[in-house]
Amino acid sequence: MCSPEEEALLRLEEVFSATLARVNSLVLLPLLETTPEPSDPQGRECLRLLQRLHWSSQRLWEVTEESLHSLRERLCHQDTVGLESLMLLQHAERVLQAHVEYIESYSSCVVVQAFQKAAKKRREFWRGQRKALWQLLPGVSPEASVGTVLAQALHQPLAHHVQQYVLLLLSFGDTAAEPHRTRELVVHAATLFVNLQSFLRQALDQALATQALWHSLSSRLRDGLCTPERRLLQDSQDVPVTVTPLRAERVLLFDDALVLLQGHSVHTFDLKLVWVDPGQDRCTFHLLTPEEELSFCSKAPQDRMVWQWKVTQAVCQALRGKKDFPVLGADLEPSEPPTCRCVAYTFRAEGRLCQATYEGEWCRGRPHGRGTLKWPDGRNHVGNFCQGLEHGFGIRLVPQGPEDRFDCYKCHWREGSMCGYGICEYGTDEVYKGYFRAGLRHGFGVLASAPRALQPCKYTGHWERGQRSGYGVEEDGARGERYIGMWQADQRHGPGVMVTQAGVCYQGTFQADKMVGPGILLSEDDSLYEGTFTRDLTLVGKGKVTFPNGFTLEGSFGSGAGKGLHTQGVLDTAAFPPDPSSTRKRQLGVGIFPVESHWQGVYGPFRDFVSAGCPGDEQEALLGFHVQNSRELRKSQEYLCCERTQPEPCADRMEGILDELLLHREPRALRECLRKALSNSLHPLGKLLRTLMLTFQATYAGIGANKHLQALAQEEVKQHARELWAAYRGLLQVALQRKGQAPEEDEDTETRDLQVHGLVLPLMLPSFYSELFTLYLLLHETEDSLYSQGIANLSLFPDTKLLEFLDVQKHLWPLKDLTLTTNQRLSLVRDKCFLSATECLQKIITTVDPREKLEVLERTYGEIEATVSRVLGREHKLPMDDLLPLLIYVVSRARIQHLGAEIHLIRDMMDPIHAGGLCDFLLTALESCYEHIQKEDMRLHRFPGRWDSREPW
Amino acid sequence: MMAIRELKVCLLGDTGVGKSSIVCRFVQDHFDHNISPTIGASFMTKTVPCGNELHKFLIWDTAGQERFHSLAPMYYRGSAAAVIVYDITKQDSFHTLKKWVKELKEHGPENIVMAIAGNKCDLSDIREVPLKDAKEYAESIGAVVVETSAKNAINIEELFQGISRQIPPLDPHENGNSGAIKLGKPATQASRRCC
């Protein structure tokens, strides 16, 4: 047996369904029948709204039919189908949604008076329908206008129906006691529909108030402000309030915007970008918007309360993007709007942001967080903002010229201007990679011209307020020159060295890009000129030439048109040819700029980083970053992201890096730890090393591969090692500090030198080796070629003959245990004598580490001694009288190329503390062999009775 | 802790006069706490006390053959002392010694301490160089002189003690952490010519 409530519900739904159908055919369909199509925008808008209403009415009808169906099912199979299967209970939300949609489209029609307008249009038709309409709405007075009747016809049945729902559900609740779940469902549905009643009431009130507002406003204002969806929430005519600084006559709070009317002008503020701030006193509060700060003042505190509450709730609702249900501010969620929001906004006020559109995160009226800023002139900034200004990493595109060319700045920003490390690719294809301050190049940076520019040019060095200033290296591709020296205000200024493609180089003092006063000029044939000369290397004025043969010419020089060089002076032919080692000592740049100051712009940011306590988020700005596919990014404006190589959040990584340092402080572990750090381009130390490599290559590769720069380069490498060690120490101190441990004490000079030479230098040397070794090669070219001749000559000797030639005492010859035939012995002996020592020595070129090279050398001595001991059948300590000839033998057989360059590089990189010690001795002995092999009798001497391999000996 | 001063000492003298025997005797006769690495008999070290300092001798042997003479400057540069050895039974070797002294005076490090060792004094019956000659010569050049026998371990200790005594003590005001090495650092002898 079915309950009477259920039957009542069935009847209710049946009636509602029928009513909807009637209203549909009597009212909605005729309303939509507008031929011809309205031509004015308002008419079209009305039609659109009515269509939407029709559609939601259909939805409502469908839902009602479904509900009916579920009721009938229940009636037929009462025993099997429970009460909870009713659509109204089970899918209360869906039913509700259909109602809400209907209410919203209906109220939109009310706001724009769609019914009145439509009725006016087809007045004749509706007059004919009058009787039928009035039948539909029994309670309506006969005097009511058609518009009103239409509006009523579309609203009244719904209101009635919802009311009945509530009544029935409540009585359901009283009867249906059994299963608990069913009861819950009933209560839930009842609550929903009670709420729906409130919603409906508020929607209608708002719609009517809004409609009344539009009615009262001038048509110009109405046209500007009216949209069907907009609802008035508060009007200053109802609750008075004054707004400063705009002095608005009227303040209108809509559900999407705050509007201030002031004479003819209208100020509209998007609610999504309104932040409410409580005021100082009870009658004021403030609103923050992107471009204005408004103060709301009321006479009575409660008026302020009303406004503040309404605005706050309206902001919340606007941010949620849907109407609060059942009424404004009724949501259960916290009613405070979030301070950080994500919105797009176009700035209007004059200033740098005028007409620019910002899309992204905001906080309290200002762009804050990630966002994109686009100016109408095509400028474009993607990145981080803070308090309305660019701050943190950002990419700025600035269009250049008519073509699709841009200057692209991938930089770190601070308070709106570039600050810290950045990469800028200009529309001209120039690229700057380096540091900025206050939007200008400042600190270390590299500016390179376009790869295929007609006059290629590259500057690697220091900048000050956008100008080249301080130590810097400039390569002028067109002139084939490289300037290494001091700059000021974009000009060469101060001591400098110029190296040319032709191998000529000079050193002097520059002023405003020109060389002034005397300088030193070195030509490739080792002539030396000390005096004054011009930039195109013409000798002018007083000076002294020292020729490679030692002759000197001192006097005054000049050159006339077509007469070539002329001179008046004294030619001294008495001098001896200069010692090669003294020619080698002619090094440029040494002492004129202290090596410590060369690359301050590279070390400086690292020190800043350390003294700031290694902040992870500052790491990139201070130490730089690497960008992938930079060229491709720049080509289009669709870049929007910059693939910086940064797999993990900086702060965490920094933490890890510092922990790592603390874990590996024992010598062995430290070496490995440093090796890893230096080879990792994301590690602070690795980054520093990479930048140093860049400067080194810019100075000493290519044109800079000039033997007169060897000393400068060598000093620089050692300085880098010292700085890297200091950098490591800095990081370590920060790591200790972070863990609350006591910092390490300052080390003394000796310990530091030991670490620098013993630990850091070998680890970093590979990064500089190729350029550095090239300089040594060039410097020792002459001796190395004599040495090669010596080696070549000695290689003609068979082993025994060579041993004899070198005066190695016969009893040391490793021959006696060979009991083979003459011929066999011949070939074997040739390959066998001191083979182990020879092979050992050859390994010297397999490493760049000077310590390892010395170890190879030491093992070689060991091998020689071992061989001799075997020959003699007892342990034998070789005195130098015996060792040196044997060593010369081994060196000549090892045939190591460029031995001179090797030896001097090892010696220069050796810790000075080893002077006089074992390493020094090992190296000196090797060097003496090298010197000896260069001697004339080694290079030219032929063994008496030339060796003939076919003759037995 | 006593300060250790490293003193580079180079051995000069004709081949066969027993340069390295003297050093071997000096180094091996006494127990040395630090077993320092050596290169055969060519490079050896020994630490001896001297006053309130420890002198660590870094002893560099050189090849005595005539043909290698020109390489000697590489070995004696930076030396605090030179031990020049001759064979009392060979007049020639004493002659060579004089040549070494001359070279050191001209091209050697400033203030180098020179010590003359007349070796093989156990063979005085076939002596060719009288002790008096050696003494007179040493006095004329301000050098330490002793007659030694590496074989019988005579005067070896005294030779090096003599050197120690001649090494000027460290000036406390000077920042001397590696002492004599620094003192003897080669001045930039750009004009040095090979002999």
Side-chain angles (χ1 to χ4, degrees):
Chain A
M1 181 60 202
C2 187
S3 73
E5 284 82 10
E6 276 174 81
E7 277 174 30
L9 189 59
L10 182 68
R11 269 199 306 283
L12 179 70
E13 295 290 46
E14 275 170 354
V15 170
F16 188 54
S17 173
T19 313
L20 281 176
R22 262 207 356 261
V23 169
N24 195 42
S25 61
L26 266 174
V27 182
L28 274 172
L29 289 177
L31 275 175
L32 292 171
E33 256 175 51
T34 45
T35 40
E37 280 271 303
S39 54
D40 57 321
Q42 281 184 348
R44 276 205 298 273
E45 178 77 60
C46 275
L47 185 61
R48 188 183 66 79
L49 291 170
L50 290 170
Q51 279 165 346
R52 204 184 125 205
L53 181 61
H54 177 238
W55 181 82
S56 30
S57 164
Q58 286 294 317
R59 289 270 302 118
L60 196 57
W61 180 76
E62 284 164 19
V63 168
T64 315
E65 281 295 305
E66 266 185 71
S67 171
L68 255 180
H69 179 74
S70 70
L71 278 162
R72 288 193 184 115
E73 280 286 301
R74 160 95 175 130
L75 276 180
C76 299
H77 313 282
Q78 279 189 24
D79 306 326
T80 51
V81 182
L83 195 60
E84 71 279 358
S85 72
L86 292 188
M87 168 89 174
L88 202 56
L89 298 182
Q90 202 177 15
H91 299 293
E93 264 86 8
R94 250 180 71 202
V95 180
L96 183 84
Q97 196 50 41
H99 283 80
V100 167
E101 267 167 31
Y102 182 86
I103 292 166
E104 282 185 340
S105 41
Y106 172 77
S107 60
S108 292
C109 292
V110 170
V111 167
V112 298
Q113 294 188 302
F115 309 121
Q116 278 81 352
K117 283 177 191 158
K120 218 181 268 174
K121 243 185 212 147
R122 298 182 69 192
R123 194 171 297 161
E124 292 307 313
F125 169 79
W126 289 112
R127 196 168 289 159
Q129 297 289 313
R130 213 177 155 85
K131 202 173 154 199
L133 281 177
W134 259 256
Q135 270 176 1
L136 207 63
L137 301 162
V140 172
S141 84
E143 282 83 40
S145 71
V146 176
T148 318
V149 174
L150 290 176
Q152 285 296 322
L154 290 164
H155 160 241
Q156 231 177 44
L158 181 86
H160 177 74
H161 179 238
V162 173
Q163 193 188 3
Q164 292 302 311
Y165 261 175
V166 173
L167 290 175
L168 277 173
L169 284 167
L170 289 175
S171 58
F172 254 15
D174 295 338
T175 53
E178 10 62 280
H180 184 64
R181 184 171 140 62
T182 316
R183 210 183 136 73
E184 261 183 11
L185 280 173
V186 170
V187 172
H188 175 65
T191 321
L192 280 186
F193 286 100
V194 169
N195 283 345
L196 184 63
Q197 279 184 303
S198 316
F199 182 78
L200 176 61
R201 261 197 305 280
Q202 192 186 47
L204 277 179
D205 288 350
Q206 283 178 354
L208 288 172
T210 314
Q211 187 228 313
L213 174 75
W214 298 145
H215 200 67
S216 70
L217 290 179
S218 71
S219 66
R220 201 185 57 81
L221 282 177
R222 184 171 60 233
D223 290 349
L225 294 172
C226 175
T227 65
E229 288 78 21
R230 183 170 274 178
R231 299 287 183 276
L232 180 67
L233 301 184
Q234 193 64 51
D235 186 340
S236 64
Q237 279 186 345
D238 302 333
V239 179
V241 73
T242 53
V243 175
T244 48
L246 289 173
R247 290 255 157 247
E249 296 146 9
R250 197 165 173 190
V251 186
L252 300 170
L253 175 65
F254 292 102
D255 58 351
D256 62 334
L258 179 76
V259 174
L260 304 183
L261 302 181
Q262 179 193 24
H264 291 295
S265 59
V266 180
H267 300 278
T268 309
F269 300 93
D270 185 351
L271 284 182
K272 284 180 194 153
L273 287 172
V274 167
W275 283 258
V276 182
D277 235 8
Q280 307 291 346
D281 58 75
R282 297 165 62 212
C283 296
T284 3
F285 70 98
H286 306 286
L287 293 189
L288 305 176
T289 73
E291 290 175 88
E292 302 275 358
E293 260 189 67
L294 307 172
S295 291
F296 276 58
C297 274
S298 64
K299 289 211 173 69
Q302 62 267 34
D303 289 354
R304 182 208 49 120
M305 291 277 286
V306 169
W307 272 98
Q308 189 178 338
W309 185 85
K310 275 266 169 93
V311 173
T312 309
Q313 296 314 320
V315 169
C316 285
Q317 182 178 267
L319 286 170
R320 279 194 283 267
K322 65 183 184 62
K323 280 222 157 63
D324 291 352
F325 183 87
V327 289
L328 183 66
D331 222 288
L332 291 170
E333 288 168 47
S335 54
E336 272 303 307
T339 42
C340 291
R341 306 166 191 178
C342 202
V343 192
Y345 178 76
T346 303
F347 290 88
R348 286 169 295 208
E350 284 300 318
R352 68 174 204 113
L353 293 177
C354 184
Q355 301 299 318
T357 303
Y358 174 79
E359 191 174 349
E361 294 166 353
W362 295 76
C363 186
R364 296 178 58 78
R366 302 252 177 83
H368 190 96
R370 290 199 57 80
T372 309
L373 192 57
K374 284 182 182 159
W375 279 269
D377 62 5
R379 276 180 300 150
N380 202 322
H381 186 99
V382 184
N384 287 314
F385 290 80
C386 181
Q387 302 268 1
L389 294 170
E390 298 88 339
H391 195 95
F393 185 75
I395 304 173
R396 166 83 54 97
L397 284 189
V398 180
Q400 292 294 333
E403 294 163 64
D404 185 27
R405 298 197 80 86
F406 293 88
D407 285 355
C408 174
Y409 302 87
K410 288 173 236 172
C411 286
H412 281 266
W413 299 70
R414 180 179 292 273
E415 289 164 9
S417 58
M418 294 182 278
C419 194
Y421 189 81
I423 296 179
C424 298
E425 292 147 336
Y426 299 95
T428 54
D429 279 340
E430 278 186 312
V431 178
Y432 175 80
K433 293 184 184 182
Y435 293 89
F436 287 90
R437 194 153 87 189
L440 295 170
R441 295 172 195 152
H442 195 99
F444 172 76
V446 181
L447 180 69
S449 60
R452 275 177 284 283
L454 283 174
Q455 301 200 312
C457 201
K458 185 175 169 190
Y459 176 81
T460 308
H462 293 78
W463 301 76
E464 223 171 273
R465 293 190 195 85
Q467 292 182 319
R468 285 171 285 190
S469 212
Y471 186 79
V473 177
E474 187 200 49
E475 174 141 345
D476 183 337
R479 292 181 65 105
E481 286 178 348
R482 180 176 293 173
Y483 173 81
I484 302 165
M486 303 305 290
W487 294 75
Q488 196 179 69
D490 252 356
Q491 291 178 320
R492 297 173 182 89
H493 195 97
V497 171
M498 189 76 89
V499 199
T500 69
Q501 194 89 63
V504 180
C505 54
Y506 56 92
Q507 171 182 314
T509 307
F510 289 76
Q511 241 171 46
D513 253 357
K514 292 202 170 54
M515 200 179 122
V516 291
I520 298 168
L521 178 66
L522 291 162
S523 71
E524 222 189 352
D525 68 347
D526 283 336
S527 325
L528 162 73
Y529 173 79
E530 294 153 285
T532 48
F533 50 93
T534 64
R535 192 179 176 185
D536 49 12
L537 309 180
T538 318
L539 313 186
V540 175
K542 278 200 158 55
K544 177 184 171 189
V545 181
T546 309
F547 295 99
N549 60 3
F551 290 7
T552 59
L553 175 59
E554 193 165 3
S556 65
F557 296 82
S559 61
K563 284 190 281 182
L565 180 72
H566 58 81
T567 175
Q568 229 170 5
V570 182
L571 180 68
D572 179 2
T573 57
F576 287 106
D579 186 336
S581 70
S582 75
T583 322
R584 254 189 269 138
K585 288 202 175 88
R586 287 175 190 160
Q587 291 290 328
L588 297 183
V590 179
I592 58 167
F593 5 79
V595 67
E596 299 81 33
S597 66
H598 283 193
W599 300 109
Q600 280 307 316
V602 182
Y603 311 138
F606 195 97
R607 283 192 210 119
D608 295 345
F609 177 66
V610 168
S611 61
C614 302
D617 51 343
E618 293 273 309
Q619 193 192 343
E620 274 196 350
L622 288 167
L623 305 181
F625 52 85
H626 301 277
V627 177
Q628 294 169 347
N629 307 330
S630 53
R631 293 255 154 217
E632 279 161 40
L633 277 177
R634 193 162 47 88
K635 288 216 176 90
S636 85
Q637 246 196 306
E638 300 299 314
Y639 61 96
L640 287 193
C641 69
C642 174
E643 289 293 327
R644 286 171 292 156
T645 43
Q646 199 163 48
E648 302 157 61
C650 308
D652 293 356
R653 253 217 0 250
M654 201 59 233
E655 200 66 42
I657 283 169
L658 293 175
D659 288 349
E660 192 84 349
L661 291 185
L662 283 181
L663 281 177
H664 302 97
R665 291 169 65 189
E666 292 310 308
R668 269 190 94 83
L670 175 60
R671 182 183 305 275
E672 264 326 291
C673 172
L674 279 180
R675 189 194 303 280
K676 257 165 61 188
L678 290 173
S679 60
N680 179 358
S681 63
L682 295 176
H683 194 286
L685 292 173
K687 282 188 183 181
L688 182 58
L689 179 65
R690 263 154 200 76
T691 315
L692 294 175
M693 283 164 70
L694 203 78
T695 65
F696 200 75
Q697 283 159 6
T699 319
Y700 305 107
I703 299 178
N706 185 305
K707 63 179 174 183
H708 301 296
L709 295 179
Q710 175 264 347
L712 194 64
Q714 179 255 111
E715 273 187 13
E716 216 169 81
V717 168
K718 286 190 194 166
Q719 177 63 19
H720 290 341
R722 281 191 285 273
E723 290 287 347
L724 281 169
W725 177 247
Y728 161 77
R729 295 274 302 173
L731 288 182
L732 183 65
Q733 301 292 31
V734 172
L736 287 168
Q737 210 176 352
R738 283 201 184 184
K739 293 270 178 272
Q741 295 175 23
E744 282 215 337
E745 276 177 38
D746 281 347
E747 42 184 13
D748 56 46
T749 340
E750 214 170 308
T751 326
R752 194 177 58 222
D753 282 351
L754 198 67
Q755 296 285 30
V756 167
H757 283 91
L759 180 68
V760 185
L761 201 57
L763 289 176
M764 57 161 271
L765 200 56
S767 306
F768 301 94
Y769 198 75
S770 84
E771 288 83 16
L772 191 61
F773 191 67
T774 306
L775 294 174
Y776 278 88
L777 279 186
L778 295 168
L779 191 63
H780 299 281
E781 212 173 10
T782 328
E783 299 115 294
D784 273 339
S785 80
L786 290 177
Y787 157 81
S788 297
Q789 285 176 27
I791 295 285
N793 183 43
L794 296 179
S795 73
L796 298 174
F797 289 71
D799 282 10
T800 43
K801 299 280 170 188
L802 182 58
L803 288 169
E804 187 178 342
F805 175 60
L806 294 173
D807 286 343
V808 175
Q809 295 189 50
K810 278 237 164 115
H811 68 283
L812 301 176
W813 293 15
L815 296 172
K816 62 179 181 185
D817 55 342
L818 298 174
T819 51
L820 299 160
T821 66
T822 317
N823 272 335
Q824 280 172 322
R825 184 157 74 183
L826 212 64
S827 60
L828 268 173
V829 162
R830 189 197 273 276
D831 293 323
K832 261 271 154 79
C833 288
F834 296 100
L835 185 66
S836 61
T838 308
E839 281 179 345
C840 184
L841 185 60
Q842 280 163 342
K843 291 196 187 100
I844 204 165
I845 55 165
T846 59
T847 170
V848 302
D849 183 343
R851 283 169 322 134
E852 284 177 22
K853 282 177 190 280
L854 286 166
E855 280 164 20
V856 167
L857 207 48
E858 194 178 349
R859 280 205 301 279
T860 307
Y861 292 91
E863 290 292 344
I864 293 174
E865 203 170 68
T867 308
V868 169
S869 298
R870 215 177 53 234
V871 170
L872 299 175
R874 62 181 158 88
E875 200 183 322
H876 182 69
K877 291 201 178 297
L878 283 167
M880 209 51 180
D881 290 348
D882 294 333
L883 179 61
L884 192 60
L886 285 174
L887 195 58
I888 294 170
Y889 172 86
V890 169
V891 170
S892 72
R893 283 299 185 241
R895 310 181 60 149
I896 295 159
Q897 285 200 304
H898 314 299
L899 188 60
E902 292 278 359
I903 290 169
H904 285 93
L905 182 57
I906 299 170
R907 194 178 285 290
D908 286 346
M909 294 300 138
M910 206 166 69
D911 190 344
I913 203 143
H914 292 314
L918 180 70
C919 292
D920 191 3
F921 177 81
L922 290 169
L923 204 56
T924 305
L926 182 64
E927 191 179 351
S928 65
C929 296
Y930 169 73
E931 294 273 327
H932 191 75
I933 290 169
Q934 289 174 50
K935 292 215 171 104
E936 220 165 293
D937 63 331
M938 292 289 131
R939 287 184 287 122
L940 305 175
H941 189 88
R942 295 284 183 269
F943 193 72
R946 279 192 60 171
W947 168 252
D948 189 336
S949 59
R950 284 160 301 185
E951 274 176 36
W953 51 283
Chain B
M1 196 187 121
M2 277 198 281
I4 294 188
R5 271 174 87 181
E6 294 192 335
L7 299 169
K8 176 173 168 183
V9 177
C10 86
L11 286 173
L12 298 167
D14 258 345
T15 177
V17 295
K19 293 188 297 291
S20 46
S21 318
I22 290 179
V23 181
C24 284
R25 176 63 74 186
F26 174 57
V27 171
Q28 285 160 5
D29 258 10
H30 283 266
F31 180 73
D32 194 346
H33 288 286
N34 309 315
I35 299 163
S36 307
T38 61
I39 298 299
S42 307
F43 175 84
M44 288 186 277
T45 62
K46 180 172 167 99
T47 310
V48 292
C50 171
N52 58 354
E53 292 175 345
L54 286 175
H55 284 176
K56 181 175 183 186
F57 290 109
L58 311 167
I59 305 160
W60 292 42
D61 192 11
T62 59
Q65 294 94 321
E66 178 72 34
R67 62 190 315 190
F68 297 133
H69 276 194
S70 65
L71 300 174
M74 306 173 81
Y75 290 85
Y76 63 65
R77 72 182 161 203
S79 290
V83 175
I84 314 162
V85 186
Y86 70 96
D87 183 345
I88 62 158
T89 67
K90 291 203 176 90
Q91 185 65 47
D92 276 0
S93 70
F94 190 65
H95 187 66
T96 314
L97 175 138
K98 286 181 177 171
K99 282 202 294 188
W100 280 123
V101 170
K102 189 162 170 279
E103 184 180 332
L104 283 176
K105 291 251 181 214
E106 280 172 27
H107 305 295
E110 267 180 85
N111 303 324
I112 187 168
V113 172
M114 285 190 265
I116 293 173
N119 199 21
K120 306 193 186 170
C121 69
D122 47 304
L123 301 174
S124 61
D125 44 337
I126 51 166
R127 171 196 292 275
E128 283 184 16
V129 183
L131 179 61
K132 189 169 137 283
D133 286 12
K135 283 212 162 139
E136 272 170 16
Y137 179 69
E139 206 167 307
S140 73
I141 57 162
V144 176
V145 63
V146 278
E147 285 202 343
T148 58
S149 167
K151 193 177 161 204
N152 297 347
I154 298 165
N155 275 345
I156 305 291
E157 206 74 9
E158 287 73 9
L159 174 67
F160 284 90
Q161 277 167 5
I163 293 172
S164 274
R165 275 195 299 274
Q166 293 250 322
I167 298 288
L170 269 188
D171 185 349
H173 300 297
E174 218 176 295
N175 168 34
N177 43 11
S178 56
I181 302 300
K182 291 236 165 107
L183 288 177
K185 263 272 149 78
T188 41
Q189 300 155 337
S191 60
R192 198 187 65 214
R193 309 260 294 115
C194 293
C195 47

